[in-house]
Amino acid sequence: MMNFFDWKCAYSGEYIGGDNKDKKRTIDHIVALDNGGEHEIWNCVPMFKSYNISKHANNMLEWYLQQEYFDIDRLTKIYEWRIYAYWKWKE
């Protein structure tokens, strides 16, 4: 997953690689677990922790469209990840 997103936040495109000693990165469930999302690789993307706190259990698309860092190409990549990961790792 991290390689697919080039060690960048899936939403902002900012680099979140490194040793993460300052705990800035986390994994986001695209469809929040609270909203019936699955804890599966195809429902997860790398994300800045502060953005994840902001998103919480909100609908990803509704939330992302409101962010100043919204980018249609990154949104497309998130959807591409979901399809790729689902077919690669589904059982």
Side-chain angles (χ1 to χ4, degrees):
M1 174 182 57
M2 296 302 288
N3 287 335
F4 188 90
F5 288 98
D6 299 320
W7 290 82
K8 296 177 182 174
C9 173
Y11 298 100
S12 71
E14 295 177 65
Y15 182 74
I16 56 174
D19 63 11
N20 199 34
K21 66 182 175 189
D22 51 7
K23 307 275 190 234
K24 287 187 177 179
R25 73 173 176 246
T26 190
I27 300 300
D28 175 53
H29 288 89
I30 299 167
V31 177
L33 299 176
D34 290 349
N35 295 333
E38 298 177 278
H39 187 62
E40 298 288 350
I41 190 73
W42 54 82
N43 190 41
C44 295
V45 292
M47 183 182 201
F48 272 115
K49 191 172 195 171
S50 61
Y51 298 165
N52 199 333
I53 291 168
S54 165
K55 179 180 171 271
H56 188 55
N58 293 312
N59 173 280
M60 181 275 288
L61 182 58
E62 291 174 6
W63 170 84
Y64 192 34
L65 287 169
Q66 297 175 6
Q67 305 311 305
E68 64 183 33
Y69 46 85
F70 170 79
D71 183 271
I72 191 68
D73 291 333
R74 284 193 298 271
L75 178 63
T76 300
K77 188 162 183 137
I78 291 167
Y79 289 134
E80 288 171 352
W81 165 250
R82 288 180 58 92
I83 294 166
Y84 166 78
Y86 178 81
W87 290 108
K88 182 170 177 82
W89 288 293
K90 75 176 180 93
E91 294 186 36

